[in-house]
Amino acid sequence: MPSKIGVIGVGLMGHGIARNILKKGYGLTVMEHPGNQPLDELLAGGAATRRTAADVARESEIVILCVTGSAEVEAVLSGSSGLLEGLRPGAIVVDCSTSVPESTKKMAALVEKAGGRFIDAPMTRTARHAHEGKLNLLVGGPAETLEEVRPVLACFAENITHAGPLGAGHRMKLLHNYVSLGFVTLLAEASACARRSEVSLDVFVDVLASGGGAGAALERLKPFLLANDSSGLQFSISNALKDLGYYTQMAQDAGAAHGVAEAVRETLAQGVEQGGKQAMLPELAGML
C-alpha cells in the first residue's frame, strides 16, 4: 500500500481531506499556499509542508489535487515548479477539483507521458462532510487504478462511485452541480419573490418542506432564509458561477439543451456583481 500522500489545495474542502488522511496513519505532505486553511492541526499531527508542487510530488506516491478549477489544475501540474517536474515513476494523481472534462484528458495525458497515472475524483457534499470524512467521490479512470487508491480515498469519502472512463467523474460532477446549484438558485429567487410579495418566509419554508420543494437545497438555504445565517452552504456564488460556466460549455459541446442553465448562470453572475467574489450562495436570496 502507498504510504506517502501529498495534498495540494488545503482550503475548505482540502483541509478535511488532509486531516482524515493523517488520522488514518498515512504520511502527509501539503503544499504551502496563501489560500490554505490554518495548518496548525495538520502540523501537530505530523504533516510536512513544501513550497512547490514539484517538491510535494517528490515526496508522494499519491498526490491529491483540491483546487478551484481547470486553470488552477493546469498551473499546478504544468506550470513553473509544477507537479510534473517532481512526479515519481508510477505515482498516481487524483484530481478532486471541479474541472472541464476536456482539460482533464489533456492533463492526464501529460501525467502519463511523465510516467504517472491519473484519475478524476471530484467531490459532492460540503466542507462539514470533508471534515467528518463523509464526502461523496465521483471517479473517472481505469477501475484498477481506482482500486489501488480506494483505501486512501476511503479515509475521507463515505461513498465512492466509479462513473466511467477518464473524465466521467468530472462530467457527472458538472451534472450534479448544475442540478444542485440550480435548485438553490431557483429557491433563492422564489424566496425573494415571497419576501417582496409579503409572504412570511417561515410559511414559505414550511409549505415547501412539506410539499414538492422539500430536499437538500431547501435545508441548506433555510438557515439564511430564517436567521440570516449562511453557514448551511459554505459555497461561494463565484464558485457556483464557475461551475455553471463549465456545465454550459459541456452541454454546448454535447449539443444538449442548456437554456435553463444559461438563466441560472445569469442569475449567479448578478449575485457576484452585487455581492462580490466572497459572497456565499445562500446570500443570493437577499440580493434578488
Side-chain angles (χ1 to χ4, degrees):
M1 273 298 301
S3 60
K4 297 181 178 180
I5 314 301
V7 175
I8 297 175
V10 191
L12 282 173
M13 304 296 283
H15 190 279
I17 289 173
R19 163 181 197 276
N20 283 290
I21 288 171
L22 200 57
K23 281 177 62 179
K24 295 297 183 180
Y26 289 95
L28 179 68
T29 304
V30 302
M31 190 178 84
E32 299 168 11
H33 191 274
N36 286 346
Q37 294 289 296
L39 299 179
D40 299 10
E41 180 184 4
L42 302 182
L43 295 174
T49 67
R50 295 292 182 268
R51 294 184 61 185
T52 70
D55 288 337
V56 172
R58 291 185 183 100
E59 302 284 340
S60 307
E61 296 160 278
I62 297 173
V63 183
I64 297 171
L65 309 183
C66 190
V67 296
T68 304
S70 290
E72 291 77 13
V73 170
E74 291 177 9
V76 164
L77 282 168
S78 58
S80 176
S81 298
L83 190 153
L84 293 175
E85 291 184 19
L87 192 67
R88 296 165 66 160
I92 300 172
V93 177
V94 181
D95 182 13
C96 290
S97 315
T98 300
S99 300
V100 177
E102 291 308 311
S103 172
T104 298
K105 290 183 178 180
K106 292 176 184 176
M107 293 301 102
L110 291 178
V111 169
E112 290 166 7
K113 185 177 180 180
R117 292 169 287 166
F118 187 103
I119 60 173
D120 47 304
M123 309 163 283
T124 69
R125 294 188 168 173
T126 67
R128 176 176 63 82
H129 293 107
H131 185 80
E132 295 171 353
K134 295 181 178 179
L135 289 170
N136 293 333
L137 294 182
L138 311 170
V139 180
E144 58 272 21
T145 306
L146 168 57
E147 291 311 308
E148 189 171 338
V149 300
R150 186 182 288 273
V152 175
L153 303 184
C155 294
F156 57 88
E158 184 174 44
N159 300 299
I160 301 171
T161 301
H162 187 210
L166 188 72
H170 281 142
R171 289 191 179 89
M172 189 63 240
K173 173 63 184 290
L174 294 179
L175 288 162
H176 173 277
N177 276 21
Y178 167 47
V179 172
S180 62
L181 299 174
F183 282 166
V184 171
T185 304
L186 183 149
L187 286 169
E189 190 170 273
S191 70
C193 182
R195 185 178 68 249
R196 291 171 182 270
S197 302
E198 300 182 350
V199 173
S200 163
L201 289 181
D202 291 280
V203 172
F204 174 80
V205 168
D206 285 346
V207 170
L208 290 182
S210 60
L218 180 63
E219 289 304 308
R220 290 173 182 173
L221 192 58
K222 182 166 69 173
F224 185 84
L225 298 180
L226 301 184
N228 207 38
D229 176 6
S230 64
S231 64
L233 182 54
Q234 289 292 295
F235 197 87
S236 70
I237 303 174
S238 60
N239 223 7
L241 178 60
K242 180 264 296 179
D243 287 1
L244 261 290
Y246 286 176
Y247 174 79
T248 53
Q249 179 180 331
M250 183 175 78
Q252 286 173 348
D253 292 344
H258 53 280
V260 175
E262 290 286 5
V264 173
R265 193 166 66 87
E266 288 176 11
T267 301
L268 293 171
Q270 179 184 339
V272 172
E273 185 176 344
Q274 290 185 228
K277 291 186 176 181
Q278 302 306 315
M280 292 293 134
L281 194 55
E283 297 174 49
L284 186 65
M287 300 176 189
L288 300 175

